[in-house]
């Protein structure tokens, strides 16, 4: 995961940008000149990162190769006055229900006011990017944290990428009232913002990225995603009478193709 502090972001207040190879708000993983960044390693231990003089450029460049795996991505966007925040749920290869290397942490902003939008996992870590198994068959639910240091009392949530989740049931639940709000194309949800009491962030020569964790009192909201369940309603008499194999499509292809076949019995 790559993190960049963009001091000009979010209306000049500054914000963290992140990228995991396939998802995030650091477009294609490109780091602009003079942007400070750090790379989160896969595991603990010693190591080093060297950039040869010949590899340095004076224009924005991709720090990490983009993932070749097609992910199913839901982007959740929050707006509260001038403050904005984004969170992603990405069903992709290598993603897990627990903490994995494709997750992107929500980091403590260096600005005095900010909006926080994140999902929470069992370790109480707050994730800006939550990578999940691409073949997930069961419904998943995560606490959804909408909080911040802001004068606004409510924020409006909108969603991008819903076309990839056709047939899924997605909902926001208010755990205080028990009410559920279905998430569909073109809809928005107005949710209460939990105010954070925090000390001023000191001015540092070298800012220290600090992952944020949820408090023990839990979150008011949660988001649930239930995959579509395919159930065959065909009667035995409607099965094919012989084995057949069709031409694959598309052809040529990269990286995926479809192969249709028929068999005269269920199996």
């Amino acid at each position: 995961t790559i993190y960049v502090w963009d001091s000009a972001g979010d209306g000049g207040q500054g914000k963290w940008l992140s990228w995991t190879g396939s998802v995030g708000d650091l477009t294609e993983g490109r780091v602009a000149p003079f942007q400070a960044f750090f790379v989160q390693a896969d595991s603990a231990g010693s190591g080093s990162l060297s950039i040869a003089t010949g590899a340095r450029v004076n224009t924005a460049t991709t720090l990490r190769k983009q993932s070749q795996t097609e992910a199913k991505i839901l982007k959740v966007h929050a707006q509260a006055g001038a403050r904005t925040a984004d969170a992603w749920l990405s069903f992709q290869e290598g993603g897990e229900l627990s903490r994995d290397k494709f997750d992107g942490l929500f980091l403590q902003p260096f600005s005095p006011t900010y909006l926080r939008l994140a999902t929470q996992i069992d370790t109480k870590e707050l994730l800006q990017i939550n990578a999940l198994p691409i073949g997930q068959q069961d419904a998943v639910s995560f606490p959804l944290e909408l909080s911040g240091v802001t004068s606004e009392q409510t924020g409006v949530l909108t969603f991008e990428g819903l076309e990839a989740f056709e047939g899924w049931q997605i909902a926001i639940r208010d755990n205080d009232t028990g009410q559920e709000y279905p998430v569909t194309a073109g809809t928005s949800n107005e949710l209460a913002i939990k105010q954070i009491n925090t000390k001023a962030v000191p001015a540092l020569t070298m800012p220290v990225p600090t992952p944020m964790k949820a408090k023990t009192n839990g979150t008011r909201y949660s988001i649930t995603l239930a995959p579509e369940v395919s159930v065959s309603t065909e009667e035995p008499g409607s099965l094919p009478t012989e084995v057949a194999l069709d031409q694959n499509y598309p052809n040529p292809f990269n990286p995926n193709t479809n192969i249709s076949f028929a068999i005269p019995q269920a199996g």
Side-chain angles (χ1 to χ4, degrees):
T1 305
I2 299 168
Y3 302 91
V4 169
W5 175 252
D6 179 13
S7 59
D10 204 12
Q13 291 292 316
K15 67 183 298 185
W16 282 106
L17 307 177
S18 56
W19 180 254
T20 64
S22 60
V23 61
D25 48 11
L26 184 64
T27 306
E28 296 182 349
R30 291 185 177 272
V31 181
F34 307 108
Q35 277 187 321
F37 68 91
F38 77 95
V39 179
Q40 177 184 320
D42 289 352
S43 59
S46 61
S48 63
L49 174 65
S50 300
I51 301 177
T53 301
R56 298 172 186 171
V57 296
N58 295 319
T59 58
T61 189
T62 301
L63 183 64
R64 180 188 169 193
K65 181 181 177 182
Q66 185 171 355
S67 171
Q68 299 301 308
T69 302
E70 185 176 353
K72 188 187 295 287
I73 300 168
L74 178 66
K75 177 181 177 181
V76 187
H77 176 76
Q79 178 89 37
R83 302 277 74 79
T84 63
D86 297 311
W88 288 265
L89 292 156
S90 175
F91 292 83
Q92 62 181 72
E93 185 176 345
E96 299 179 10
L97 295 178
S98 57
R99 184 79 165 86
D100 61 73
K101 67 180 182 180
F102 295 103
D103 290 333
L105 297 168
F106 189 96
L107 301 178
Q108 170 72 55
F110 298 121
S111 52
T113 62
Y114 60 87
L115 188 65
R116 180 168 73 183
L117 180 66
T119 55
Q120 178 187 331
I121 55 176
D122 51 5
T123 59
K124 293 192 178 299
E125 289 175 295
L126 294 175
L127 302 181
Q128 186 182 29
I129 302 173
N130 192 345
L132 303 165
I134 194 168
Q136 182 68 25
Q137 298 295 318
D138 300 323
V140 293
S141 183
F142 296 95
L144 184 66
E145 175 88 1
L146 179 62
S147 56
V149 182
T150 172
S151 59
E152 305 293 332
Q153 300 300 311
T154 61
V156 177
L157 263 59
T158 54
F159 306 85
E160 297 179 21
L162 285 171
E163 61 277 2
F165 294 85
E166 184 177 356
W168 287 48
Q169 292 184 352
I170 304 175
I172 302 292
R173 176 182 172 84
D174 186 332
N175 298 317
D176 286 358
T177 65
Q179 187 171 0
E180 286 194 352
Y181 305 94
V183 174
T184 57
T187 62
S188 61
N189 301 98
E190 186 171 358
L191 307 181
I193 298 173
K194 181 174 69 175
Q195 295 297 320
I196 299 175
N197 295 321
T198 183
K199 296 179 181 179
V201 178
L204 302 175
T205 304
M206 180 60 69
V208 179
T210 305
M212 302 189 78
K213 287 198 172 187
K215 302 298 183 182
T216 55
N217 58 355
T219 58
R220 175 171 176 176
Y221 301 103
S222 59
I223 183 168
T224 300
L225 300 93
E228 178 183 23
V229 178
S230 298
V231 179
S232 176
T233 59
E234 290 187 353
E235 297 296 330
S238 65
L239 291 173
T241 58
E242 59 183 16
V243 174
L245 181 65
D246 295 334
Q247 174 65 44
N248 69 306
Y249 69 92
N251 185 22
F253 65 91
N254 180 19
N256 300 312
T257 190
N258 299 278
I259 302 174
S260 298
F261 62 92
I263 53 176
Q265 63 208 29

